[in-house]
Amino acid sequence: DVKVTQSSRYLVKRTGEKVFLECVQDMDHENMFWYRQDPGLGLRLIYFSYDVKMKEKGDIPEGYSVSREKKERFSLILESASTNQTSMYLCASSRTSGGHETQYFGPGTRLLVL
Amino acid sequence: AQSVSQHNHHVILSEAASLELGCNYSYGGTVNLFWYVQYPGQHLQLLLKYFSGDPLVKGIKGFEAEFIKSKFSFNLRKPSVQWSDTAEYFCAVNASPSGTYKYIFGTGTRLKVLA
């Protein structure tokens, strides 16, 4: 079974803090994704990566950055957290297979920025 | 730009009722279509997917979806829902070949099944 793990289930941070969210997958997947999930807005893609050290902006990259130094690990960084970044953050991974690939999701990190 | 619309935001049904959740997408080329489900307190998981072939796709737990290309739709159905189907359901599209690995998700439909 594919396993995608996220470093924290719940996180409380203060405005202006630097926040790191870590995601690890154990299935040697090429692609990794970061989404935020907000009520009524569904899942919105922040960044994705299709290879080590490669990254592409998703639909809402502002205020975020990412790092992929190893194939299994994809980190989301909030350089200076703001209250509007309070959300549920979901990591996902998938194999490369011409768009046919299923995404496997982690359990999510619920971030509260005060 | 690609988009996915789920018109039903909240659905409440009694057990044994039939379910149909709408999903429409906007993209003129070849698409890959998915339904994901998120049970309370659990992570998103795949319910079913369509790539090609038979437009009627069967998934887990008795769910099925029909791809109607002319209507740009991929509606999810279940003949008789159970209380355990209470969850949030997301439709997703990946256009192929798009040159990207991006998925576009709908805003989700919250289903509540009354026992």
Side-chain angles (χ1 to χ4, degrees), chain B:
Chain B
Q2 299 168 41
S3 66
V4 176
S5 297
Q6 292 182 244
H7 302 293
N8 315 104
H9 299 296
H10 291 90
V11 173
I12 301 175
L13 295 172
S14 298
E15 273 195 313
S18 65
L19 170 72
E20 180 158 4
L21 301 182
C23 173
N24 289 90
Y25 63 92
S26 65
Y27 182 71
T30 304
V31 290
N32 301 309
L33 299 156
F34 305 79
W35 275 99
Y36 284 85
V37 61
Q38 188 172 34
Y39 297 103
Q42 295 188 28
H43 55 261
L44 271 157
Q45 56 187 285
L46 182 71
L47 205 51
L48 49 78
K49 58 187 176 183
Y50 171 80
F51 297 150
S52 63
D54 189 343
L56 185 62
V57 179
K58 294 196 185 299
I60 61 171
K61 305 189 180 188
F63 285 91
E64 63 179 32
E66 185 175 13
F67 170 52
I68 303 180
K69 191 174 181 180
S70 60
K71 294 185 178 180
F72 298 89
S73 71
F74 189 56
N75 292 353
L76 182 70
R77 301 194 294 243
K78 187 171 184 179
S80 175
V81 294
Q82 300 173 306
W83 177 81
S84 58
D85 294 325
T86 293
E88 190 160 18
Y89 294 81
F90 293 93
C91 181
V93 170
N94 180 322
S96 173
S98 66
T100 74
Y101 302 92
K102 283 175 58 173
Y103 290 72
I104 308 295
F105 281 81
T107 53
T109 297
R110 282 188 188 273
L111 170 66
K112 186 175 177 65
V113 180
L114 305 174

Side-chain angles (χ1 to χ4, degrees), chain A residues 36-111:
Chain A
R36 61 178 284 177
Q37 182 181 9
D38 299 289
L41 297 178
L43 275 71
R44 292 179 293 165
L45 182 65
I46 305 171
Y47 267 97
F48 65 102
S49 168
Y50 52 88
D51 202 351
V52 175
K53 296 193 187 293
M54 304 302 288
K55 60 184 179 185
E56 288 211 19
K57 292 180 180 179
D59 300 314
I60 52 164
E62 296 78 20
Y64 304 94
S65 62
V66 290
S67 171
R68 191 155 181 214
E69 296 297 318
K70 294 185 177 181
K71 192 174 186 179
E72 67 271 18
R73 189 180 296 270
F74 192 37
S75 303
L76 179 70
I77 303 150
L78 286 66
E79 294 290 340
S80 177
S82 63
T83 54
N84 63 13
Q85 292 178 310
T86 290
S87 186
M88 171 72 91
Y89 289 88
L90 299 179
C91 177
S93 74
S94 71
R95 201 170 294 287
T96 295
S97 154
H100 299 177
E101 57 274 7
T102 298
Q103 288 197 320
Y104 294 88
F105 286 85
T109 296
R110 193 170 288 282
L111 173 67

